Amino acid sequence: MKAVIVPSFGGAEVLRVVDRPEPRPGPGQALIRVEAAGVGYVDVMARDGHYQPLSEPGFVPGTEAAGTVVAVGEGVEEHWIGRRVFALADSGAYAEYVVADARGLVRLPE
């Protein structure tokens, strides 16, 4: 899958598109095919190296994603598959696919 990474800290010019393995949902998680990702203050702070949870270059930014659930992990009801949702992720929404905690999924209208 294609993903945007932060290979080194700095402005938007440091962002790079790379190929990464598609993530797999773990227990309690959903895999979302990303259709839109938010760009928020946390993302800018992380890109600049000022957000402790994402303090090592090479990460995929993005905590807000909207898209379609394509797979679920153990313990998640399968009725989510095929549904359009909004979700918050720890990071990784600047990619074609992201995993998020299924407890926080918000169903979007068609």
Side-chain angles (χ1 to χ4, degrees):
M1 73 163 186
K2 299 290 184 199
V4 174
I5 65 164
V6 177
S8 61
F9 295 125
E13 72 279 354
V14 304
L15 299 175
R16 298 290 179 262
V17 177
V18 299
D19 288 314
R20 285 271 174 101
E22 185 177 305
R24 302 207 184 285
Q29 295 179 324
L31 178 65
I32 300 163
R33 184 178 58 242
V34 177
E35 297 167 24
V39 179
Y41 185 67
V42 167
D43 303 311
V44 174
M45 293 297 290
R47 188 190 68 218
D48 289 339
H50 301 295
Y51 184 66
Q52 197 61 31
L54 299 174
S55 60
E56 294 295 321
F59 65 90
V60 178
T63 60
E64 303 168 359
T68 303
V69 175
V70 295
V72 295
E74 182 181 332
V76 180
E77 294 182 25
E78 291 191 7
H79 73 81
W80 284 107
I81 296 173
R83 299 212 181 192
R84 294 183 67 237
V85 298
F86 169 81
L88 294 175
D90 292 334
S91 68
Y94 289 17
E96 292 180 298
Y97 295 89
V98 67
V99 293
D101 188 326
R103 294 174 296 178
L105 296 178
V106 177
R107 186 173 178 191
L108 296 176
E110 295 301 318

